[in-house]
Amino acid sequence: MQSDLTSRFPLPVAREEPEKGTPASLPSSPISADASDEVPFLRRVPFSSRRRRAVSESHISYLSSHPNLRRSFSREVGHAAAETYLLTRLTITLLRYLGLGYRWITRFLSLVCYATLLMPGFLQVGYYYFFSSQVRRSIIYGDQPRNRLDLYLPTDNSGSKPAVAFVTGGAWIIGYKAWGSLLGRRLAERGIIVACIDYRNFPQGTISDMVKDASEGISFVCNNISSYGGDPNRIYLMGQSAGAHIAACALMHQAIKECGENDTSWSVSQIKAYFGLSGGYNMLNLVDHFNRRGLYRSIFLSIMEGEQSLNHFSPEVIVTNMCDRFDFPPLPPIILYHGMDDCSIPSDASTAFAEALQSKGFQAKVVLFERKTHTDLFLQDPLRGGRDELLEDIVSVIHTGDAAALARDAVASPARRLVPEIILQLARKISPF
């Protein structure tokens, strides 16, 4: 069976890359607001020269005996600079590869304006990302470049918490783990651990590299989440946009492995449910659509490793073709969310995938949101604050069977607004997505 399986649907093999240095994990706990109780030089003192000299001596003495504290802030700034440099370098490499076509220039300018309008919210989320003690950044999960993930931990550390392995979007080109910081914050506030998995983007890697990286990140979560207060029996998989496609591919390819006798580091049975946000699951049906949207056919096929590989990286096709031929293992419940005004990936993509799953006896459903675009569900709605319908639905699924958690959810305070409504509406109009 295994020989027949791999001959018809060969698993992608990631290309070997030279080993690179692995940066050490950086501390993520800057001086806290109540540090004045422990740090002498932070106490309020009268403005006398004698007292100032005493404080200065105390300051120097304390920093001399606590070098890690003295360097913590500079390390945070250094980490932010390194992250910015990485993204800038990859962007320049990408632009050299793509050239400067008219569509790319106009969409890039739209993206700049869109990001500028939402900057008040991004700055607040960025401050949380870099300076919150509840965020563990850049945890290493593999030996390839960008094999890092961020963990968002609830403030209440009593008992084991459910965990979500999240794969961010970015058109397979600009994906980055920090894009999930707003979602990570919101779910952590509801008692759920979130692991945002980074992965190689194009042109640093192609789709097989991305799926391999995501699978290794999922494996890390399944095998190590208990060390961070997570419950290994309550692990969920989620992806958004291109990340939804990559996460679904990782899930399906893992199921293919389990059809045979391959040793695996994680199992499909460990995933309680899969959440797909605004994803595409049949690449054959999306090539021309992406070309019209500016992700040109030649570039997209380079990302997907050629037209002959589209079947292997289309979860809908895998489900349709594999289940009739092989003993496909049970899949977790699959819940797909999509905005009906999504122009980047039509909502039909989620509907068709759910129908394919249901036709093979798997549990799947689609939740459609009227008048919602590609970014409304993931960005504008969370930045708006108040009650987030998508978030509430995800939380209710994760907390099913946990009466105490459901009771806390019922009285949870609405999220604070981060961006004024008029700016959100303007950003929505000029969004390139």
Side-chain angles (χ1 to χ4, degrees), residues 360-399:
K360 301 301 179 181
F362 296 115
Q363 184 178 346
K365 75 170 184 176
V366 181
V367 180
L368 299 177
F369 297 86
E370 294 184 359
R371 296 184 297 277
K372 296 295 183 181
T373 66
H374 193 68
T375 55
D376 277 335
L377 297 176
F378 188 65
L379 277 179
Q380 283 96 282
D381 286 353
L383 290 172
R384 182 173 285 110
R387 184 180 182 277
D388 186 336
E389 187 177 356
L390 170 65
L391 181 76
E392 294 298 332
D393 194 85
I394 292 172
V395 170
S396 68
V397 173
I398 295 175
H399 285 161

mmCIF file of all heavy atoms in Angstrom, residues 360-399:
data_model
loop_
_atom_site.group_PDB
_atom_site.id
_atom_site.type_symbol
_atom_site.label_atom_id
_atom_site.label_comp_id
_atom_site.label_asym_id
_atom_site.label_seq_id
_atom_site.Cartn_x
_atom_site.Cartn_y
_atom_site.Cartn_z
ATOM 1 N N LYS A 360 -16.868 12.894 1.926
ATOM 2 C CA LYS A 360 -16.066 11.735 2.319
ATOM 3 C C LYS A 360 -16.307 11.333 3.769
ATOM 4 O O LYS A 360 -15.590 10.489 4.316
ATOM 5 C CB LYS A 360 -14.576 12.040 2.122
ATOM 6 C CG LYS A 360 -14.221 12.387 0.679
ATOM 7 C CD LYS A 360 -14.586 11.263 -0.280
ATOM 8 C CE LYS A 360 -14.263 11.625 -1.720
ATOM 9 N NZ LYS A 360 -14.647 10.549 -2.666
ATOM 10 N N GLY A 361 -17.307 11.928 4.382
ATOM 11 C CA GLY A 361 -17.695 11.533 5.731
ATOM 12 C C GLY A 361 -16.977 12.252 6.851
ATOM 13 O O GLY A 361 -17.131 11.871 8.020
ATOM 14 N N PHE A 362 -16.219 13.298 6.539
ATOM 15 C CA PHE A 362 -15.527 14.051 7.580
ATOM 16 C C PHE A 362 -16.413 15.180 8.105
ATOM 17 O O PHE A 362 -17.279 15.692 7.392
ATOM 18 C CB PHE A 362 -14.218 14.626 7.048
ATOM 19 C CG PHE A 362 -13.217 13.582 6.635
ATOM 20 C CD1 PHE A 362 -12.834 13.470 5.304
ATOM 21 C CD2 PHE A 362 -12.673 12.705 7.555
ATOM 22 C CE1 PHE A 362 -11.920 12.516 4.908
ATOM 23 C CE2 PHE A 362 -11.758 11.733 7.174
ATOM 24 C CZ PHE A 362 -11.385 11.634 5.850
ATOM 25 N N GLN A 363 -16.161 15.566 9.335
ATOM 26 C CA GLN A 363 -16.941 16.630 9.958
ATOM 27 C C GLN A 363 -16.370 17.984 9.555
ATOM 28 O O GLN A 363 -15.215 18.297 9.852
ATOM 29 C CB GLN A 363 -16.906 16.477 11.490
ATOM 30 C CG GLN A 363 -17.769 17.492 12.228
ATOM 31 C CD GLN A 363 -17.743 17.279 13.734
ATOM 32 O OE1 GLN A 363 -17.295 16.227 14.219
ATOM 33 N NE2 GLN A 363 -18.212 18.264 14.481
ATOM 34 N N ALA A 364 -17.161 18.772 8.857
ATOM 35 C CA ALA A 364 -16.701 20.079 8.385
ATOM 36 C C ALA A 364 -17.880 21.025 8.268
ATOM 37 O O ALA A 364 -19.006 20.612 7.977
ATOM 38 C CB ALA A 364 -16.000 19.945 7.033
ATOM 39 N N LYS A 365 -17.614 22.302 8.495
ATOM 40 C CA LYS A 365 -18.654 23.316 8.312
ATOM 41 C C LYS A 365 -18.020 24.637 7.909
ATOM 42 O O LYS A 365 -16.823 24.879 8.141
ATOM 43 C CB LYS A 365 -19.483 23.494 9.586
ATOM 44 C CG LYS A 365 -18.803 24.263 10.699
ATOM 45 C CD LYS A 365 -19.805 24.579 11.817
ATOM 46 C CE LYS A 365 -19.173 25.440 12.908
ATOM 47 N NZ LYS A 365 -20.148 25.845 13.947
ATOM 48 N N VAL A 366 -18.823 25.482 7.278
ATOM 49 C CA VAL A 366 -18.374 26.810 6.844
ATOM 50 C C VAL A 366 -19.189 27.861 7.581
ATOM 51 O O VAL A 366 -20.413 27.744 7.699
ATOM 52 C CB VAL A 366 -18.550 26.994 5.322
ATOM 53 C CG1 VAL A 366 -18.057 28.376 4.896
ATOM 54 C CG2 VAL A 366 -17.806 25.918 4.562
ATOM 55 N N VAL A 367 -18.499 28.872 8.070
ATOM 56 C CA VAL A 367 -19.153 30.021 8.694
ATOM 57 C C VAL A 367 -18.853 31.231 7.817
ATOM 58 O O VAL A 367 -17.694 31.660 7.720
ATOM 59 C CB VAL A 367 -18.659 30.245 10.128
ATOM 60 C CG1 VAL A 367 -19.380 31.451 10.742
ATOM 61 C CG2 VAL A 367 -18.866 29.006 10.984
ATOM 62 N N LEU A 368 -19.877 31.762 7.150
ATOM 63 C CA LEU A 368 -19.700 32.896 6.252
ATOM 64 C C LEU A 368 -20.159 34.186 6.925
ATOM 65 O O LEU A 368 -21.151 34.197 7.654
ATOM 66 C CB LEU A 368 -20.489 32.672 4.955
ATOM 67 C CG LEU A 368 -20.090 31.454 4.121
ATOM 68 C CD1 LEU A 368 -21.012 31.319 2.915
ATOM 69 C CD2 LEU A 368 -18.631 31.555 3.672
ATOM 70 N N PHE A 369 -19.418 35.255 6.674
ATOM 71 C CA PHE A 369 -19.719 36.560 7.266
ATOM 72 C C PHE A 369 -20.085 37.538 6.157
ATOM 73 O O PHE A 369 -19.261 37.804 5.264
ATOM 74 C CB PHE A 369 -18.508 37.081 8.052
ATOM 75 C CG PHE A 369 -18.124 36.228 9.232
ATOM 76 C CD1 PHE A 369 -17.276 35.143 9.069
ATOM 77 C CD2 PHE A 369 -18.614 36.504 10.497
ATOM 78 C CE1 PHE A 369 -16.911 34.360 10.148
ATOM 79 C CE2 PHE A 369 -18.258 35.734 11.585
ATOM 80 C CZ PHE A 369 -17.408 34.653 11.399
ATOM 81 N N GLU A 370 -21.279 38.055 6.206
ATOM 82 C CA GLU A 370 -21.719 39.009 5.190
ATOM 83 C C GLU A 370 -20.957 40.328 5.311
ATOM 84 O O GLU A 370 -20.635 40.778 6.411
ATOM 85 C CB GLU A 370 -23.219 39.279 5.334
ATOM 86 C CG GLU A 370 -24.103 38.076 5.027
ATOM 87 C CD GLU A 370 -25.563 38.416 5.093
ATOM 88 O OE1 GLU A 370 -25.882 39.599 5.403
ATOM 89 O OE2 GLU A 370 -26.395 37.519 4.844
ATOM 90 N N ARG A 371 -20.653 40.899 4.139
ATOM 91 C CA ARG A 371 -20.009 42.215 4.034
ATOM 92 C C ARG A 371 -18.644 42.259 4.736
ATOM 93 O O ARG A 371 -18.202 43.319 5.182
ATOM 94 C CB ARG A 371 -20.925 43.315 4.588
ATOM 95 C CG ARG A 371 -22.208 43.471 3.791
ATOM 96 C CD ARG A 371 -23.036 44.639 4.308
ATOM 97 N NE ARG A 371 -23.465 44.419 5.680
ATOM 98 C CZ ARG A 371 -24.520 43.701 6.016
ATOM 99 N NH1 ARG A 371 -25.275 43.143 5.095
ATOM 100 N NH2 ARG A 371 -24.848 43.548 7.290
ATOM 101 N N LYS A 372 -17.968 41.122 4.829
ATOM 102 C CA LYS A 372 -16.624 41.084 5.406
ATOM 103 C C LYS A 372 -15.598 40.791 4.313
ATOM 104 O O LYS A 372 -15.807 39.921 3.472
ATOM 105 C CB LYS A 372 -16.526 40.013 6.505
ATOM 106 C CG LYS A 372 -17.415 40.281 7.712
ATOM 107 C CD LYS A 372 -16.985 41.529 8.459
ATOM 108 C CE LYS A 372 -17.839 41.739 9.716
ATOM 109 N NZ LYS A 372 -17.460 42.966 10.444
ATOM 110 N N THR A 373 -14.475 41.536 4.341
ATOM 111 C CA THR A 373 -13.415 41.378 3.351
ATOM 112 C C THR A 373 -12.340 40.424 3.874
ATOM 113 O O THR A 373 -12.479 39.817 4.937
ATOM 114 C CB THR A 373 -12.785 42.735 3.032
ATOM 115 O OG1 THR A 373 -12.101 43.225 4.203
ATOM 116 C CG2 THR A 373 -13.846 43.735 2.612
ATOM 117 N N HIS A 374 -11.251 40.353 3.130
ATOM 118 C CA HIS A 374 -10.174 39.427 3.482
ATOM 119 C C HIS A 374 -9.519 39.805 4.799
ATOM 120 O O HIS A 374 -9.084 38.923 5.558
ATOM 121 C CB HIS A 374 -9.124 39.428 2.356
ATOM 122 C CG HIS A 374 -8.135 38.313 2.452
ATOM 123 N ND1 HIS A 374 -8.474 36.993 2.255
ATOM 124 C CD2 HIS A 374 -6.792 38.315 2.733
ATOM 125 C CE1 HIS A 374 -7.398 36.219 2.389
ATOM 126 N NE2 HIS A 374 -6.374 37.003 2.692
ATOM 127 N N THR A 375 -9.428 41.098 5.087
ATOM 128 C CA THR A 375 -8.739 41.536 6.302
ATOM 129 C C THR A 375 -9.685 41.936 7.431
ATOM 130 O O THR A 375 -9.231 42.155 8.557
ATOM 131 C CB THR A 375 -7.807 42.726 5.994
ATOM 132 O OG1 THR A 375 -8.570 43.770 5.361
ATOM 133 C CG2 THR A 375 -6.681 42.302 5.071
ATOM 134 N N ASP A 376 -10.975 42.056 7.158
ATOM 135 C CA ASP A 376 -11.919 42.449 8.210
ATOM 136 C C ASP A 376 -11.865 41.493 9.398
ATOM 137 O O ASP A 376 -11.797 41.912 10.562
ATOM 138 C CB ASP A 376 -13.351 42.494 7.663
ATOM 139 C CG ASP A 376 -13.660 43.804 6.954
ATOM 140 O OD1 ASP A 376 -13.008 44.814 7.275
ATOM 141 O OD2 ASP A 376 -14.543 43.817 6.078
ATOM 142 N N LEU A 377 -11.930 40.200 9.103
ATOM 143 C CA LEU A 377 -12.026 39.209 10.170
ATOM 144 C C LEU A 377 -10.764 39.162 11.022
ATOM 145 O O LEU A 377 -10.831 38.944 12.236
ATOM 146 C CB LEU A 377 -12.291 37.820 9.575
ATOM 147 C CG LEU A 377 -13.603 37.654 8.813
ATOM 148 C CD1 LEU A 377 -13.680 36.260 8.194
ATOM 149 C CD2 LEU A 377 -14.799 37.882 9.732
ATOM 150 N N PHE A 378 -9.609 39.368 10.376
ATOM 151 C CA PHE A 378 -8.333 39.172 11.069
ATOM 152 C C PHE A 378 -7.738 40.458 11.633
ATOM 153 O O PHE A 378 -7.017 40.417 12.627
ATOM 154 C CB PHE A 378 -7.342 38.523 10.103
ATOM 155 C CG PHE A 378 -6.056 38.096 10.747
ATOM 156 C CD1 PHE A 378 -6.038 37.090 11.704
ATOM 157 C CD2 PHE A 378 -4.856 38.697 10.389
ATOM 158 C CE1 PHE A 378 -4.847 36.693 12.299
ATOM 159 C CE2 PHE A 378 -3.660 38.299 10.972
ATOM 160 C CZ PHE A 378 -3.661 37.296 11.930
ATOM 161 N N LEU A 379 -8.047 41.612 11.009
ATOM 162 C CA LEU A 379 -7.427 42.859 11.441
ATOM 163 C C LEU A 379 -8.434 43.917 11.900
ATOM 164 O O LEU A 379 -8.429 44.321 13.065
ATOM 165 C CB LEU A 379 -6.564 43.429 10.311
ATOM 166 C CG LEU A 379 -5.153 42.861 10.161
ATOM 167 C CD1 LEU A 379 -4.447 43.513 8.994
ATOM 168 C CD2 LEU A 379 -4.355 43.061 11.437
ATOM 169 N N GLN A 380 -9.274 44.390 10.976
ATOM 170 C CA GLN A 380 -10.131 45.516 11.327
ATOM 171 C C GLN A 380 -11.073 45.205 12.489
ATOM 172 O O GLN A 380 -11.240 46.030 13.389
ATOM 173 C CB GLN A 380 -10.933 45.984 10.112
ATOM 174 C CG GLN A 380 -10.125 46.810 9.113
ATOM 175 C CD GLN A 380 -9.597 45.982 7.971
ATOM 176 O OE1 GLN A 380 -8.613 45.269 8.115
ATOM 177 N NE2 GLN A 380 -10.249 46.056 6.814
ATOM 178 N N ASP A 381 -11.700 44.034 12.480
ATOM 179 C CA ASP A 381 -12.637 43.715 13.557
ATOM 180 C C ASP A 381 -11.954 43.641 14.925
ATOM 181 O O ASP A 381 -12.455 44.220 15.896
ATOM 182 C CB ASP A 381 -13.382 42.417 13.248
ATOM 183 C CG ASP A 381 -14.443 42.603 12.163
ATOM 184 O OD1 ASP A 381 -14.686 43.765 11.763
ATOM 185 O OD2 ASP A 381 -15.028 41.599 11.722
ATOM 186 N N PRO A 382 -10.808 42.947 15.058
ATOM 187 C CA PRO A 382 -10.129 42.958 16.358
ATOM 188 C C PRO A 382 -9.648 44.343 16.780
ATOM 189 O O PRO A 382 -9.681 44.676 17.967
ATOM 190 C CB PRO A 382 -8.946 42.001 16.141
ATOM 191 C CG PRO A 382 -9.371 41.116 15.032
ATOM 192 C CD PRO A 382 -10.195 41.981 14.130
ATOM 193 N N LEU A 383 -9.201 45.173 15.806
ATOM 194 C CA LEU A 383 -8.761 46.526 16.155
ATOM 195 C C LEU A 383 -9.936 47.398 16.576
ATOM 196 O O LEU A 383 -9.766 48.374 17.293
ATOM 197 C CB LEU A 383 -8.050 47.170 14.953
ATOM 198 C CG LEU A 383 -6.676 46.595 14.586
ATOM 199 C CD1 LEU A 383 -6.191 47.199 13.271
ATOM 200 C CD2 LEU A 383 -5.661 46.853 15.692
ATOM 201 N N ARG A 384 -11.134 47.036 16.122
ATOM 202 C CA ARG A 384 -12.332 47.798 16.448
ATOM 203 C C ARG A 384 -12.720 47.639 17.920
ATOM 204 O O ARG A 384 -13.359 48.519 18.512
ATOM 205 C CB ARG A 384 -13.477 47.354 15.534
ATOM 206 C CG ARG A 384 -14.777 48.099 15.738
ATOM 207 C CD ARG A 384 -15.785 47.717 14.676
ATOM 208 N NE ARG A 384 -15.471 48.344 13.384
ATOM 209 C CZ ARG A 384 -15.042 47.696 12.326
ATOM 210 N NH1 ARG A 384 -14.883 46.371 12.357
ATOM 211 N NH2 ARG A 384 -14.769 48.338 11.201
ATOM 212 N N GLY A 385 -12.341 46.519 18.511
ATOM 213 C CA GLY A 385 -12.713 46.265 19.904
ATOM 214 C C GLY A 385 -14.151 45.796 20.020
ATOM 215 O O GLY A 385 -14.826 45.502 19.034
ATOM 216 N N GLY A 386 -14.643 45.721 21.243
ATOM 217 C CA GLY A 386 -16.006 45.240 21.472
ATOM 218 C C GLY A 386 -16.091 43.733 21.295
ATOM 219 O O GLY A 386 -15.108 43.003 21.452
ATOM 220 N N ARG A 387 -17.250 43.252 20.927
ATOM 221 C CA ARG A 387 -17.463 41.817 20.762
ATOM 222 C C ARG A 387 -17.084 41.399 19.348
ATOM 223 O O ARG A 387 -17.623 41.909 18.371
ATOM 224 C CB ARG A 387 -18.930 41.449 21.041
ATOM 225 C CG ARG A 387 -19.205 39.954 20.990
ATOM 226 C CD ARG A 387 -20.670 39.658 21.268
ATOM 227 N NE ARG A 387 -20.919 38.221 21.274
ATOM 228 C CZ ARG A 387 -21.126 37.485 20.182
ATOM 229 N NH1 ARG A 387 -21.117 38.078 18.997
ATOM 230 N NH2 ARG A 387 -21.343 36.192 20.266
ATOM 231 N N ASP A 388 -16.157 40.466 19.248
ATOM 232 C CA ASP A 388 -15.664 39.972 17.965
ATOM 233 C C ASP A 388 -16.332 38.626 17.695
ATOM 234 O O ASP A 388 -16.062 37.629 18.369
ATOM 235 C CB ASP A 388 -14.148 39.826 18.024
ATOM 236 C CG ASP A 388 -13.535 39.448 16.681
ATOM 237 O OD1 ASP A 388 -14.249 38.866 15.844
ATOM 238 O OD2 ASP A 388 -12.342 39.731 16.483
ATOM 239 N N GLU A 389 -17.210 38.593 16.683
ATOM 240 C CA GLU A 389 -17.998 37.391 16.415
ATOM 241 C C GLU A 389 -17.118 36.193 16.079
ATOM 242 O O GLU A 389 -17.369 35.069 16.539
ATOM 243 C CB GLU A 389 -18.972 37.672 15.266
ATOM 244 C CG GLU A 389 -19.966 36.547 15.016
ATOM 245 C CD GLU A 389 -20.969 36.891 13.928
ATOM 246 O OE1 GLU A 389 -20.935 38.035 13.424
ATOM 247 O OE2 GLU A 389 -21.781 36.010 13.575
ATOM 248 N N LEU A 390 -16.079 36.410 15.277
ATOM 249 C CA LEU A 390 -15.180 35.314 14.913
ATOM 250 C C LEU A 390 -14.461 34.774 16.148
ATOM 251 O O LEU A 390 -14.412 33.563 16.376
ATOM 252 C CB LEU A 390 -14.156 35.798 13.885
ATOM 253 C CG LEU A 390 -12.999 34.850 13.573
ATOM 254 C CD1 LEU A 390 -13.509 33.572 12.918
ATOM 255 C CD2 LEU A 390 -11.958 35.522 12.684
ATOM 256 N N LEU A 391 -13.907 35.667 16.943
ATOM 257 C CA LEU A 391 -13.185 35.253 18.150
ATOM 258 C C LEU A 391 -14.094 34.486 19.096
ATOM 259 O O LEU A 391 -13.707 33.437 19.648
ATOM 260 C CB LEU A 391 -12.600 36.476 18.841
ATOM 261 C CG LEU A 391 -11.788 36.181 20.111
ATOM 262 C CD1 LEU A 391 -10.423 35.627 19.745
ATOM 263 C CD2 LEU A 391 -11.642 37.436 20.970
ATOM 264 N N GLU A 392 -15.308 34.981 19.274
ATOM 265 C CA GLU A 392 -16.229 34.323 20.200
ATOM 266 C C GLU A 392 -16.564 32.908 19.732
ATOM 267 O O GLU A 392 -16.686 31.983 20.543
ATOM 268 C CB GLU A 392 -17.517 35.150 20.341
ATOM 269 C CG GLU A 392 -17.334 36.513 20.992
ATOM 270 C CD GLU A 392 -16.823 36.422 22.423
ATOM 271 O OE1 GLU A 392 -17.092 35.396 23.094
ATOM 272 O OE2 GLU A 392 -16.149 37.368 22.873
ATOM 273 N N ASP A 393 -16.694 32.726 18.425
ATOM 274 C CA ASP A 393 -17.011 31.402 17.909
ATOM 275 C C ASP A 393 -15.848 30.443 18.133
ATOM 276 O O ASP A 393 -16.045 29.292 18.549
ATOM 277 C CB ASP A 393 -17.349 31.484 16.425
ATOM 278 C CG ASP A 393 -18.022 30.216 15.918
ATOM 279 O OD1 ASP A 393 -19.243 30.102 16.060
ATOM 280 O OD2 ASP A 393 -17.309 29.339 15.390
ATOM 281 N N ILE A 394 -14.627 30.896 17.872
ATOM 282 C CA ILE A 394 -13.450 30.057 18.071
ATOM 283 C C ILE A 394 -13.289 29.689 19.541
ATOM 284 O O ILE A 394 -13.039 28.528 19.888
ATOM 285 C CB ILE A 394 -12.195 30.776 17.547
ATOM 286 C CG1 ILE A 394 -12.250 30.901 16.022
ATOM 287 C CG2 ILE A 394 -10.925 30.041 17.972
ATOM 288 C CD1 ILE A 394 -11.150 31.758 15.432
ATOM 289 N N VAL A 395 -13.454 30.668 20.411
ATOM 290 C CA VAL A 395 -13.312 30.427 21.848
ATOM 291 C C VAL A 395 -14.364 29.436 22.339
ATOM 292 O O VAL A 395 -14.078 28.550 23.159
ATOM 293 C CB VAL A 395 -13.400 31.754 22.630
ATOM 294 C CG1 VAL A 395 -13.506 31.495 24.128
ATOM 295 C CG2 VAL A 395 -12.180 32.624 22.337
ATOM 296 N N SER A 396 -15.586 29.566 21.834
ATOM 297 C CA SER A 396 -16.651 28.650 22.279
ATOM 298 C C SER A 396 -16.350 27.208 21.876
ATOM 299 O O SER A 396 -16.654 26.275 22.623
ATOM 300 C CB SER A 396 -17.994 29.094 21.693
ATOM 301 O OG SER A 396 -18.027 28.925 20.280
ATOM 302 N N VAL A 397 -15.724 27.007 20.716
ATOM 303 C CA VAL A 397 -15.344 25.658 20.292
ATOM 304 C C VAL A 397 -14.232 25.122 21.189
ATOM 305 O O VAL A 397 -14.276 23.969 21.653
ATOM 306 C CB VAL A 397 -14.894 25.655 18.821
ATOM 307 C CG1 VAL A 397 -14.335 24.283 18.427
ATOM 308 C CG2 VAL A 397 -16.058 26.020 17.909
ATOM 309 N N ILE A 398 -13.232 25.942 21.445
ATOM 310 C CA ILE A 398 -12.094 25.497 22.249
ATOM 311 C C ILE A 398 -12.516 25.188 23.690
ATOM 312 O O ILE A 398 -12.018 24.238 24.303
ATOM 313 C CB ILE A 398 -10.983 26.567 22.222
ATOM 314 C CG1 ILE A 398 -10.426 26.699 20.797
ATOM 315 C CG2 ILE A 398 -9.866 26.228 23.197
ATOM 316 C CD1 ILE A 398 -9.400 27.806 20.622
ATOM 317 N N HIS A 399 -13.441 25.965 24.216
ATOM 318 C CA HIS A 399 -13.863 25.781 25.605
ATOM 319 C C HIS A 399 -15.058 24.839 25.769
ATOM 320 O O HIS A 399 -15.612 24.734 26.862
ATOM 321 C CB HIS A 399 -14.188 27.136 26.238
ATOM 322 C CG HIS A 399 -12.970 27.941 26.575
ATOM 323 N ND1 HIS A 399 -13.003 29.307 26.789
ATOM 324 C CD2 HIS A 399 -11.670 27.569 26.733
ATOM 325 C CE1 HIS A 399 -11.788 29.734 27.065
ATOM 326 N NE2 HIS A 399 -10.964 28.706 27.042
#
